[in-house]
Amino acid sequence: MVASLDTTFLDHSYENPFMNASGVHCMSTKELDELSNSKASTFITKSSTSVKRAGNPEPRYRSVPLGSINSMGLPNEGFEYYLEYATKYQKKNSKANPIFFSVAGMSVSENLKMLRALQDSDFHGIVELNLSCPNVPGKPQVAYDFELIKEILTQVFEFFTKPLGVKLPPYFDFAHFDAVAKILNQYPLAYVNCINSIGNGLYIDAHNESVVIKPKNGFGGLGGEYVKPTALANVRAFYTRLNPSIKVIGTGGIKTGQDAFEHLLCGATMLQVGTELCEEGVTVFTRLENELKEIMDRKGYTSIEQFRGKLKSL
């Protein structure tokens, strides 16, 4: 039998687990349409703020040997731009599976304002609250302040009833995995997304004796192969700690079908592709789908559920 990549996420059946990572190939309606027409099973909008942001000065993204470094600074077209697109998309594709809408306000009040607007809107997809943007100068990552996570989610779930997930940064300590999972398990979250980029790396151009991106004196978020082991660790840590009703989306270092297989083995249900999508374009989804099927065929798996989450320990 030929392997099937059918994936059930929040009671919806997707033809494969692949989608873009927010921030990559999703800034404009043109890019969103290209995702819609690709082999990705769904897609997520650019993390939006209430009003349009230009983001950090260029150059702010650089491809490097094992991935990428970026300090984008949340450039986006503004909340209303993406909400208009999402609602029109739904009407035009009424039988399509839900898409994802990402919000990343610069303050708690801004996030609450956008979530209230989504709650009151006709949007009936899945919402992702980005608690982990590491590249806005002067703004710390919310998700490293555990009390603030509780404060935000408590306020959100006083009024928000649509499916909601949170984008998390990488954590590096078992005590932090335990503490964050304990907080998240108190709320009716649909999923967690592990991970955003590893914040504040530094890549050096030795020939020119300089950094390679302009914002923050060269400090930026790492993506790609650099981050896969950290991403896998976070996927596994939260898969084994969260209530079964809270799914895990795996993001970080997915360049090949094997990378996708490893994320699924750790317990991820959906997979987001960032750096490799930026490098290769939307055709990456066709390649990843074929490579994952080849691995499953070779191992004798006909469905993802036969191995998902079943990572063996020694």
Side-chain angles (χ1 to χ4, degrees), residues 176-241:
H176 295 159
F177 293 141
D178 292 341
V180 174
K182 185 177 180 181
I183 293 168
L184 298 179
N185 278 333
Q186 298 173 35
Y187 301 94
L189 285 166
Y191 71 91
V192 299
N193 187 346
C194 304
I195 58 174
N196 207 329
S197 57
I198 296 180
N200 294 320
L202 190 65
Y203 190 87
I204 304 298
D205 177 345
H207 176 73
N208 291 313
E209 301 179 13
S210 75
V211 300
V212 297
I213 57 175
K214 186 172 183 177
K216 295 168 61 177
N217 295 314
F219 284 72
L222 297 177
E225 294 177 71
Y226 289 115
V227 310
K228 189 181 80 167
T230 300
L232 293 175
N234 277 259
V235 168
R236 189 62 180 172
F238 284 106
Y239 175 75
T240 56
R241 285 167 173 79

Side-chain angles (χ1 to χ4, degrees), residues 9 19-23 44-45 47 100 102 127-132 143 164-171 180 184 189-197 231 234-235 238-239 242 246-252 254 263 268-274:
F9 188 77
M19 57 187 295
N20 65 305
S22 182
I44 187 168
T45 62
S47 291
F100 291 65
S102 177
V127 178
E128 181 166 288
L129 174 59
N130 188 341
L131 298 177
S132 59
L164 178 75
V166 289
K167 180 80 171 278
L168 296 176
Y171 296 99
V180 174
L184 298 179
L189 285 166
Y191 71 91
V192 299
N193 187 346
C194 304
I195 58 174
N196 207 329
S197 57
N234 277 259
V235 168
F238 284 106
Y239 175 75
L242 293 175
I246 304 177
K247 305 306 178 187
V248 180
I249 294 180
T251 306
I254 298 177
H263 268 270
T269 299
M270 298 289 282
L271 306 172
Q272 292 187 356
V273 184

Side-chain angles (χ1 to χ4, degrees), residues 4-265:
S4 168
L5 300 187
D6 287 352
T7 298
T8 300
F9 188 77
L10 306 186
D11 298 325
H12 294 277
S13 181
Y14 294 88
E15 63 183 31
N16 64 61
F18 296 111
M19 57 187 295
N20 65 305
S22 182
V24 182
H25 209 93
C26 55
M27 173 81 88
S28 67
T29 57
K30 177 178 180 291
E31 289 180 330
L32 290 165
D33 283 341
E34 288 170 356
L35 287 171
S36 174
N37 293 321
S38 76
K39 289 295 287 183
S41 66
T42 186
F43 58 91
I44 187 168
T45 62
K46 183 78 175 70
S47 291
S48 64
T49 49
S50 294
V51 296
K52 182 176 180 177
R53 277 178 60 88
N56 291 341
E58 306 263 7
R60 57 193 184 187
Y61 177 95
R62 174 75 174 264
S63 175
V64 292
L66 292 177
S68 61
I69 184 169
N70 85 87
S71 182
M72 302 299 290
L74 278 175
N76 71 95
E77 298 293 336
F79 176 80
E80 292 295 338
Y81 178 92
Y82 299 108
L83 183 58
E84 180 181 357
Y85 177 87
T87 51
K88 284 183 177 178
Y89 175 86
Q90 287 175 163
K91 291 176 183 176
K92 185 178 178 181
N93 303 274
S94 57
K95 295 183 179 179
N97 280 318
I99 61 173
F100 291 65
F101 193 105
S102 177
V103 296
M106 307 295 287
S107 65
V108 174
S109 61
E110 185 179 1
N111 277 324
L112 293 174
K113 176 185 175 184
M114 289 188 287
L115 290 174
R116 284 194 178 93
L118 283 167
Q119 177 67 31
D120 295 337
S121 74
D122 292 331
F123 179 70
H124 51 72
I126 301 162
V127 178
E128 181 166 288
L129 174 59
N130 188 341
L131 298 177
S132 59
C133 184
N135 297 314
V136 177
K139 298 286 184 180
Q141 287 202 42
V142 169
Y144 287 146
D145 184 334
F146 298 168
E147 288 302 313
L148 188 54
I149 295 176
K150 289 176 65 175
E151 178 186 331
I152 291 173
L153 293 181
T154 297
Q155 292 185 58
V156 166
F157 285 111
E158 286 176 353
F159 66 89
F160 200 80
T161 59
K162 296 179 179 182
L164 178 75
V166 289
K167 180 80 171 278
L168 296 176
Y171 296 99
F172 304 96
D173 194 290
F174 275 69
H176 295 159
F177 293 141
D178 292 341
V180 174
K182 185 177 180 181
I183 293 168
L184 298 179
N185 278 333
Q186 298 173 35
Y187 301 94
L189 285 166
Y191 71 91
V192 299
N193 187 346
C194 304
I195 58 174
N196 207 329
S197 57
I198 296 180
N200 294 320
L202 190 65
Y203 190 87
I204 304 298
D205 177 345
H207 176 73
N208 291 313
E209 301 179 13
S210 75
V211 300
V212 297
I213 57 175
K214 186 172 183 177
K216 295 168 61 177
N217 295 314
F219 284 72
L222 297 177
E225 294 177 71
Y226 289 115
V227 310
K228 189 181 80 167
T230 300
L232 293 175
N234 277 259
V235 168
R236 189 62 180 172
F238 284 106
Y239 175 75
T240 56
R241 285 167 173 79
L242 293 175
N243 298 330
S245 60
I246 304 177
K247 305 306 178 187
V248 180
I249 294 180
T251 306
I254 298 177
K255 184 175 183 177
T256 67
Q258 179 173 317
D259 300 325
F261 181 83
E262 292 173 11
H263 268 270
L264 295 166
L265 196 63

Side-chain angles (χ1 to χ4, degrees), residues 258-296:
Q258 179 173 317
D259 300 325
F261 181 83
E262 292 173 11
H263 268 270
L264 295 166
L265 196 63
C266 285
T269 299
M270 298 289 282
L271 306 172
Q272 292 187 356
V273 184
T275 295
E276 195 60 24
L277 171 59
C278 190
E279 297 298 314
E280 197 170 325
V282 296
T283 57
V284 69
F285 296 111
T286 302
R287 179 177 62 78
L288 288 173
E289 182 177 358
N290 291 335
E291 289 177 1
L292 180 56
K293 282 183 177 179
E294 288 172 5
I295 291 170
M296 290 171 61

